[in-house]
Amino acid sequence: MGTIAPDESSAITDAFKLLDAIYLEASVLGSIPQAKTGSLRIMVGADPVLFTRYLPILQALGPNPTLIGPVGTAAAFKHGAEPTYCDSYHQFFSEFRVNPARRRPS
């Protein structure tokens, strides 16, 4: 699990095939606190059979791992989703900072 470019993920797949090994791409939104609580958002790039086989492991780290498509697609999806995700959080927290009336009372 990590953040790498789609072409890097595809290259890893090719290298693993030469070793007769398997590779699942699992891009995540979240960090160590979410991993510890099992609440990561996990996007998987893999063969559907491998996804199903390793789903229980993925579910230990996040409640709803999602198969995006073959290896490379989850990394591409995350690279597209993360700026939007971060921007939404930035807008949300900026609203509270700029407009004190919207803050929850202590």
Side-chain angles (χ1 to χ4, degrees):
M1 298 182 139
T3 302
I4 61 174
D7 58 336
E8 292 172 307
S9 195
S10 295
I12 291 170
T13 299
D14 294 341
F16 272 48
K17 284 179 184 175
L18 293 174
L19 300 170
D20 198 29
I22 58 169
Y23 173 76
L24 283 83
E25 169 186 75
S27 297
V28 301
L29 291 177
S31 191
I32 294 170
Q34 292 80 19
K36 287 180 177 179
T37 61
S39 60
L40 288 171
R41 291 183 176 180
I42 304 172
M43 299 155 286
V44 180
D47 176 273
V49 173
L50 291 177
F51 173 75
T52 301
R53 182 185 308 162
Y54 292 99
L55 185 58
I57 295 169
L58 296 168
Q59 287 172 324
L61 297 169
N64 297 308
T66 304
L67 179 62
I68 303 297
V71 169
T73 57
F77 184 82
K78 181 178 180 188
H79 283 280
E82 195 163 54
T84 303
Y85 181 73
C86 293
D87 187 51
S88 296
Y89 268 75
H90 175 70
Q91 288 176 359
F92 176 78
F93 288 111
S94 293
E95 174 66 21
F96 280 93
R97 190 173 55 248
V98 173
N99 185 353
R102 301 245 355 207
R103 291 186 184 154
R104 293 179 66 186
S106 347

